[in-house]
């Protein structure tokens, strides 16, 4: 569960755990983010992250672009982009169901 820090307050294992939980839940509202946070903090008790820190870290990961001329996107960034796409698809389905 530990590892080198990869960003402010997150280690590599924590990032992976966060992405796995986001992939599982695909949070589209505050209740789902609260559930995601509970799962995350149950595993990383000493970190005591909040919803804002998880959302910010996820946003940094899925918005990251490779450098100019660099076609190699790190695996965790690719995963974050795929999870973001899945959340967008879920949100479209929810919005579509609400309008019927």
């Amino acid at each position: 569960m530990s590892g080198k820090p990869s960003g402010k307050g997150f280690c590599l294992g924590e990032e992976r755990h966060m992405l796995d939980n986001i992939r599982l839940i695909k949070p589209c509202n505050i209740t789902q983010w609260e559930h995601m946070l509970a799962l995350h903090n149950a595993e990383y008790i000493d970190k005591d992250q909040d919803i804002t820190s998880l959302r910010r870290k996820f946003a940094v990961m899925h918005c990251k672009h490779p450098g100019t001329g660099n076609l190699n996107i790190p695996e965790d960034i690719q995963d974050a982009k795929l999870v973001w796409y899945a959340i967008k698809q879920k949100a479209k389905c929810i919005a579509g169901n609400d309008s019927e």
Side-chain angles (χ1 to χ4, degrees), residues 16-28:
R16 172 58 40 206
H17 184 261
M18 179 190 72
L19 272 180
D20 289 345
N21 284 334
I22 292 174
R23 178 180 290 114
L24 176 69
I25 296 169
K26 296 178 194 70
C28 291

Side-chain angles (χ1 to χ4, degrees), residues 12-13 15-17 22 24-25 27-28 33-34 43 46-47 54 56 59 61-62 65 67 73 80 83 86-87 90 93:
L12 293 176
E15 280 183 5
R16 172 58 40 206
H17 184 261
I22 292 174
L24 176 69
I25 296 169
C28 291
W33 274 104
E34 287 169 347
E43 185 70 23
D46 59 326
K47 293 291 193 147
L54 294 178
R56 185 180 306 122
M61 292 175 75
H62 76 74
H65 298 284
I73 301 173
V83 171
I87 290 170
K90 178 182 174 184
C93 290

Side-chain angles (χ1 to χ4, degrees), residues 1 18 29 41 45 50 58 65 77-78 85:
M1 301 286 155
M18 179 190 72
N29 61 40
N41 282 342
I45 297 166
D50 59 19
F58 180 58
H65 298 284
I77 302 304
Q78 280 183 323
Y85 180 75

Side-chain angles (χ1 to χ4, degrees), residues 31-97:
T31 303
Q32 293 169 346
W33 274 104
E34 287 169 347
H35 182 209
M36 217 297 296
L37 177 66
L39 290 174
H40 186 82
N41 282 342
E43 185 70 23
Y44 290 90
I45 297 166
D46 59 326
K47 293 291 193 147
D48 197 30
Q49 301 287 1
D50 59 19
I51 291 172
T52 302
S53 65
L54 294 178
R55 290 177 75 168
R56 185 180 306 122
K57 183 61 176 179
F58 180 58
V60 166
M61 292 175 75
H62 76 74
C63 290
K64 193 168 192 165
H65 298 284
T68 303
N70 183 3
L71 301 178
N72 298 321
I73 301 173
E75 185 178 339
D76 58 333
I77 302 304
Q78 280 183 323
D79 286 349
K81 289 178 182 297
L82 290 173
V83 171
W84 175 243
Y85 180 75
I87 290 170
K88 285 175 38 176
Q89 293 300 331
K90 178 182 174 184
K92 280 184 186 178
C93 290
I94 291 170
N97 289 335

